Amino acid sequence: MRKRIASVTVAWLLLAASLAWGEPPATPWERLTPEERQTLKPFEGRWESLPPERQERLRRGAERWRTMTPEQRKDARERSRRWQELPPEQRERIRNRAEEFGKLPPAEQERIRQKYRWFKELPPEERRVLREKWRGLDREERNKLRERYRTMTPEEKRDYLNKP
């Protein structure tokens, strides 16, 4: 009988501990700072029903917002507007790609970031030419080009981009 009571007690303690460690505690609206309440005002009516992890993400976002310059806030509003205008399928595709990117090893993420910076630094006309060439290739041709491009010297890459 004692073993059974001990087993049930341990099971209840493990259940309670797993629930306690599972997610951060919710933060009541009244416990937010005045600055947080001001920034998070659009969420006031439903704050208590938001999951604790969502509340925490919103609080971190509110903190970032407060530290932004007016120009940074303007840019953020513009990005948000453009995001909202995207079709739902495109937003989902972007979310999936971001999730895939996040699963890559850090070295691979950095390699992709460097390639992106390189592309953004190209003159607009070169970017346009490169995009057109890329769109004109099928999947197999793209894969071959990726492999070949990785082995090119900077001069060969420049020559390739300038070919008609």
Side-chain angles (χ1 to χ4, degrees):
M1 180 70 168
R2 279 189 186 174
K3 282 187 175 182
R4 184 174 168 93
I5 292 173
S7 296
V8 169
T9 303
V10 168
W12 276 105
L13 286 173
L14 289 173
L15 176 64
S18 69
L19 290 173
W21 290 321
E23 59 183 45
T27 304
W29 180 258
E30 298 75 32
R31 294 219 4 232
L32 298 177
T33 66
E35 294 83 14
E36 286 175 324
R37 284 196 300 262
Q38 176 63 36
T39 305
L40 297 170
K41 188 98 171 122
F43 298 94
E44 182 178 13
R46 57 188 172 154
W47 181 260
E48 303 298 333
S49 67
L50 294 173
E53 62 275 0
R54 174 90 166 117
Q55 289 180 353
E56 187 56 33
R57 280 196 319 270
L58 287 167
R59 289 178 75 188
R60 286 193 309 264
E63 179 59 30
R64 277 194 317 271
W65 183 261
R66 282 193 305 279
T67 62
M68 287 180 177
T69 65
E71 184 63 29
Q72 290 171 324
R73 287 181 181 188
K74 180 182 171 197
D75 291 345
R77 283 187 191 101
E78 178 60 23
R79 283 191 307 274
S80 177
R81 184 193 60 74
R82 285 195 320 260
W83 174 259
Q84 293 301 319
E85 289 175 353
L86 291 175
E89 309 81 43
Q90 190 173 357
R91 284 186 287 190
E92 185 62 26
R93 196 167 43 249
I94 292 169
R95 282 187 197 102
N96 291 339
R97 291 186 73 186
E99 187 177 325
E100 289 173 19
F101 180 80
K103 292 177 183 175
L104 293 173
E108 181 68 7
Q109 288 182 14
E110 184 54 31
R111 186 187 71 74
I112 291 170
R113 284 186 188 104
Q114 286 175 354
K115 292 291 184 183
Y116 177 76
R117 285 190 293 269
W118 169 82
F119 181 79
K120 294 302 276 184
E121 290 172 4
L122 288 175
E125 182 58 24
E126 286 185 41
R127 286 197 311 255
R128 186 190 63 73
V129 168
L130 192 57
R131 276 192 198 102
E132 286 176 6
K133 285 182 179 184
W134 185 255
R135 288 179 183 141
L137 301 174
D138 64 29
R139 182 181 295 255
E140 187 176 328
E141 290 172 317
R142 288 178 182 183
N143 288 335
K144 285 179 185 176
L145 179 59
R146 277 188 192 108
E147 288 306 314
R148 193 173 112 225
Y149 198 78
R150 285 185 181 125
T151 63
M152 287 181 181
T153 66
E155 294 78 24
E156 290 172 325
K157 290 176 182 178
R158 192 172 34 257
D159 291 344
Y160 175 78
L161 292 175
N162 293 325
K163 276 195 300 188

